[in-house]
Amino acid sequence: MSALKIAGKEFDSRLFVGTGKFASNALMARAIAASGSQMVTVALRRVDIENENDDMLAAIDQTKYQLLPNTSGARDAAEAVRLSRLARAASGIAWVKLEVTPDPYYLLPDGQETLKAAEILVKDGFIVLPYINADPILAKKLQDVGCATVMPLASPIGSNQGMKTKASIEIIIEQATVPVVVDAGLGAPSHAAEAMEMGADAVLVNTAIAAANDPVEIAKAFKMATQAGRIAYETGLASKSTTASASSPLTGFLRNE
Amino acid sequence: MTTIVSANIQSILSKKQLDNNRECWEIALQTVTAEQVRRELASPAGKFSLERLVTLLSPAAEPFLETMAQQAHALTIQRFGKTIQLYAPLYVSNVCINSCRYCGYNKTTQIDRTRLTIEQAVSDAAVIAGEGFRHLLLVSGEDTQFVSPDYLCELASKLKEKFSSLSIEIYAMSQAEYAQLFNAGIDGVTLYQETYDRDVYADYHLAGPKADYDGRLDAPDRFASAGMRRIGLGFLLGLTDWRIETLAMAEHASCLIKKYWRSQISFSFPRICPATSVQSQWPHLVSDTNMVQMMLALRLCFADAGIVLSTRETPEFRDNLMNLCVTRLSAGSKTNPGGYASEKTAAEQFEVADSRSPEEVARIIRSHGYEAVWKDWDVSFNKLG
């Protein structure tokens, strides 16, 4: 399995994990370890980014994981940019998962504001990983302004519905020149495997791990599924056929010749 | 201010409509069958329709509370995770120009009246911050002279250092005043209609600005227009039929959600509590079972609404509700101004039933398998943060 490269940094794991919704920070730490992930996103609203002893940050070993602060809760570009800048000033981390989600119910991303914020942040030296609807044109525009990845959603965040936007994600993967990380809505390891088999460069999972009965075991399952999907993609699947190939109902008579 | 949504709400909840609705809703509630409840519980949880809410609030749904609880529990964990957020109220004044028959701050009541200066309020807030809280709710009687928008803005500017989120639960204001507060970093408002029944409202709100039913009903429209991110709704449980009130509140919420789609709705469940010089007999007291049914029915119609529980409720009841669908709890509350930093006791708005310390409540939350979340917002979102 090849390594994933984002903004010049290599990652052996292609599973990104979120940190919200866990029953405790200790459990979160164990689940992250079991996931094998090297990229961990945290909501800036949830942590005191300048405080090393913050209960959540203290549970994430930053020597092992790339911390990916996210702007969850931002209603527009201005809020996301302000939050990102203050967080970088306090923590020195230039990576940002850009989330502009003005609707607090489905948390769907605002493409227009995301593009506006991405442009400003990239110019400002940030490594920007934007969370977007599965919109191939928007993905191209974000790529053009210098985003390090694009992160289209599989289905609404936290919904565990799986690859509802599959047809559009296929187009994004086909056209992208930056890594495509399928984010949001992956509810089962099989969903992650499906995204990876399609050629996604990575997947991000939070709710499906954090809200599971046993987050540690499920994290392991997602790790395996992500790897399985990637290996299958790199190796290539056997071609599909709509019929079984053993019998030849139409031409079988020829064998009697 | 008249806007489309307030027109909608006004027409839905206008006297004529509400009277018509009440009759219709009463009949509907009584005629729901067990089979209808079963059918409703077999459909996907979390989406609002009036028919669905009528079904789940009906007496016929009472035998299904366990199934409703299982669904509400699962939906809450899916949407909010295994977390419960903690907040604390800070009472800044118990002076009030209203005369509400259920309230300990009623202007005709002889109690010790206290107003906190900015410095005193900051001292109380420091105690609250020291307990770990980052979400603060500023509460006051309708003390327009002292607790003015300027007072609140000045206080907000001093509190932003210590708190991640500032909300208010005070008297209804104008849109311009709400905008002034929003720009100062206050981004949530809780305002209870108390009752959606105009006649009952008039009966309980005898004098003062709060006696204006429409002015109050319109207030969420004004503060949501001003940009407020969090809209807290509720009615006082005990004034009139809780089922009808819940339907009216849900209609109100549904209108607000559609128009102010950037703001998040939460529901609170203030049950009438004993207070100084307040009558102790109420015609429509709400039992624990009723309250649980109300919470579950709302959750099963509003997947992402905050469900807030204060220290009005007993420790046992609060502990049990943690596992159902509650997302936000207050703890260690003092409902008398200055109650955190000073031993001197001003009159409380109501008697706190759960007097456990915040750390103790956090420990109980953790023992239920939830993370006690102290911070889930950041002042940097706001312009002046």
Side-chain angles (χ1 to χ4, degrees):
Chain A
M1 199 176 80
S2 62
L4 169 67
K5 208 168 176 182
I6 300 175
K9 185 164 176 175
E10 285 202 356
F11 299 87
D12 294 327
S13 163
R14 290 173 177 269
L15 173 60
F16 300 0
V17 292
T19 49
K21 300 187 175 180
F22 281 94
S24 72
N25 290 321
L27 181 61
M28 175 194 77
R30 289 205 305 279
I32 293 173
S35 76
S37 179
Q38 294 166 319
M39 180 84 93
V40 177
T41 186
V42 290
L44 287 166
R45 60 192 276 182
R46 178 67 185 77
V47 295
D48 273 322
I49 193 80
E50 72 276 17
N51 178 5
E52 276 180 12
N53 300 321
D54 176 90
D55 54 351
M56 184 181 269
L57 290 178
I60 304 167
D61 180 351
Q62 290 186 49
T63 60
K64 286 189 191 154
Y65 310 109
Q66 173 63 50
L67 202 61
L68 179 62
N70 72 61
T71 61
S72 147
R75 288 205 286 204
D76 55 31
E79 288 182 7
V81 168
R82 191 161 54 235
L83 198 63
S84 305
R85 284 179 174 158
L86 287 166
R88 183 177 62 178
S91 68
I93 300 169
W95 293 66
V96 63
K97 177 167 184 258
L98 178 59
E99 297 185 23
V100 184
T101 52
D103 151 32
Y105 299 99
Y106 287 95
L107 297 169
L108 291 169
D110 180 332
Q112 229 174 343
E113 294 292 312
T114 303
L115 181 59
K116 216 194 296 180
E119 230 174 325
I120 297 168
L121 291 170
V122 169
K123 276 188 192 146
D124 211 4
F126 280 89
I127 299 162
V128 182
L129 290 75
Y131 168 55
I132 56 169
N133 269 299
D135 175 347
I137 301 298
L138 178 62
K140 289 303 258 179
K141 288 183 177 175
L142 286 161
Q143 186 181 294
D144 289 347
V145 302
C147 288
T149 65
V150 286
M151 304 184 73
L153 58 86
S155 49
I157 197 164
S159 70
N160 293 339
Q161 293 181 68
M163 295 288 288
K164 295 287 183 201
T165 61
K166 187 172 179 179
S168 297
I169 288 183
E170 272 172 351
I171 300 172
I172 295 175
I173 291 172
E174 181 195 329
Q175 297 183 333
T177 56
V178 293
V180 177
V181 184
V182 174
D183 183 3
L186 299 177
S190 57
H191 299 156
E194 185 183 0
M196 296 306 294
E197 283 172 14
M198 280 166 58
D201 295 279
V203 291
L204 189 147
V205 179
N206 183 12
T207 302
I209 294 176
N213 289 332
D214 187 337
V216 176
E217 283 299 299
I218 282 289
K220 232 185 274 175
F222 269 101
K223 173 188 179 177
M224 293 157 78
T226 306
Q227 288 174 344
R230 182 64 191 181
I231 292 169
Y233 170 73
E234 289 184 4
T235 309
L237 297 170
S239 60
K240 265 188 202 170
S241 168
T242 49
T243 56
S245 52
S247 65
S248 309
L250 297 181
T251 55
F253 68 94
L254 295 173
R255 284 188 209 128
N256 298 330
E257 271 187 354
Chain B
M1 189 194 65
T2 312
T3 63
I4 297 164
V5 75
S6 61
N8 282 343
I9 293 165
Q10 298 293 1
S11 80
I12 290 164
L13 303 176
S14 71
K15 179 160 171 39
K16 189 162 164 277
Q17 256 329 100
L18 197 58
D19 285 349
N20 288 343
N21 282 343
R22 178 175 301 109
E23 205 173 307
C24 223
W25 289 348
E26 270 165 9
I27 295 166
L29 283 162
Q30 293 309 321
T31 51
V32 172
T33 63
E35 187 44 40
Q36 282 172 305
V37 178
R38 266 188 218 105
R39 209 179 310 142
E40 203 53 67
L41 289 175
S43 60
K47 303 251 191 286
F48 172 67
S49 74
L50 200 57
E51 295 70 29
R52 176 173 171 80
L53 189 56
V54 165
T55 307
L56 299 179
L57 284 174
S58 69
E62 268 189 39
F64 296 89
L65 282 190
E66 180 59 30
T67 310
M68 287 169 67
Q70 298 285 350
Q71 290 191 10
H73 170 75
L75 185 59
T76 305
I77 286 182
Q78 193 204 338
R79 306 307 300 164
F80 293 85
K82 291 177 181 166
T83 66
I84 292 181
Q85 196 188 99
L86 287 161
Y87 75 97
L90 168 56
Y91 282 70
V92 295
S93 169
N94 61 6
V95 173
C96 192
I97 54 176
N98 291 315
S99 194
C100 310
R101 281 171 48 207
Y102 48 78
C103 182
Y105 289 177
N106 188 327
K107 70 170 181 183
T108 62
T109 309
Q110 296 300 314
I111 55 165
D112 283 343
R113 302 283 175 174
T114 307
R115 290 163 156 166
L116 300 189
T117 61
I118 297 285
E119 291 67 35
Q120 286 171 321
V122 169
S123 302
D124 254 23
V127 175
I128 294 171
E131 289 169 335
F133 291 102
R134 293 295 174 268
H135 290 242
L136 188 69
L137 177 68
L138 300 171
V139 189
S140 171
E142 185 142 358
D143 186 3
T144 47
Q145 240 185 356
F146 184 76
V147 184
S148 63
D150 287 345
Y151 170 96
L152 291 164
C153 288
E154 192 187 339
L155 185 55
S157 72
K158 304 236 154 113
L159 296 178
K160 275 188 306 200
E161 290 282 299
K162 288 200 164 75
F163 294 92
S164 317
S165 162
L166 297 173
S167 302
I168 53 167
E169 185 179 330
I170 62 169
Y171 57 91
M173 293 180 163
S174 71
Q175 189 178 330
E177 288 169 326
Y178 283 129
Q180 189 189 341
L181 298 185
F182 183 72
N183 289 328
I186 292 172
D187 58 9
V189 180
T190 294
L191 193 94
Y192 304 145
Q193 183 60 27
E194 315 296 9
T195 170
Y196 286 89
D197 183 311
R198 280 166 192 275
D199 296 334
V200 175
Y201 191 94
D203 191 30
Y204 280 100
H205 301 90
L206 303 175
K210 195 171 168 181
D212 175 9
Y213 177 98
D214 290 308
R216 195 159 183 92
L217 187 62
D218 222 15
D221 198 4
R222 295 196 297 276
F223 63 69
S225 296
M228 294 294 174
R229 299 168 198 271
R230 284 174 289 278
I231 301 176
L233 299 182
F235 59 85
L236 202 45
L237 280 69
L239 297 185
T240 182
D241 185 317
W242 64 274
R243 290 186 161 100
I244 302 288
E245 295 275 33
T246 307
L247 290 170
M249 180 175 73
E251 285 279 65
H252 193 181
S254 171
C255 288
L256 292 167
I257 288 169
K258 281 187 184 138
K259 181 156 188 209
Y260 302 105
W261 56 274
R262 289 179 181 82
S263 305
Q264 188 166 32
I265 290 272
S266 64
F267 297 115
S268 299
F269 303 84
R271 272 205 286 194
I272 282 184
C273 277
T276 311
S277 314
V278 171
Q279 70 181 72
S280 52
Q281 294 302 308
W282 298 93
H284 295 277
L285 284 179
V286 175
S287 70
D288 287 359
T289 305
N290 295 156
M291 189 160 145
V292 166
Q293 186 177 0
M294 177 184 170
M295 283 181 156
L296 298 176
L298 283 169
R299 165 60 75 232
L300 294 178
C301 285
F302 297 91
D304 296 289
I307 302 257
V308 187
L309 202 61
S310 79
T311 53
R312 284 169 184 265
E313 299 299 336
T314 63
E316 300 72 32
F317 193 47
R318 272 160 53 96
D319 292 356
N320 284 318
L321 290 179
M322 284 178 197
N323 293 326
L324 300 186
C325 54
V326 170
T327 60
R328 221 180 299 159
L329 284 177
S330 55
S333 306
K334 310 282 185 212
T335 67
N336 52 322
Y340 291 95
S342 139
E343 288 300 312
K344 188 172 165 271
T345 50
E348 299 172 316
Q349 187 187 30
F350 59 88
E351 286 171 25
V352 164
D354 182 352
S355 56
R356 293 173 299 182
S357 71
E359 190 40 53
E360 173 69 0
V361 172
R363 194 187 62 73
I364 305 269
I365 290 173
R366 288 192 287 270
S367 77
H368 281 252
Y370 292 82
E371 174 76 7
V373 173
W374 302 90
K375 177 183 185 291
D376 191 22
W377 197 247
D378 202 283
V379 283
S380 315
F381 282 107
N382 301 330
K383 275 183 211 150
L384 301 177

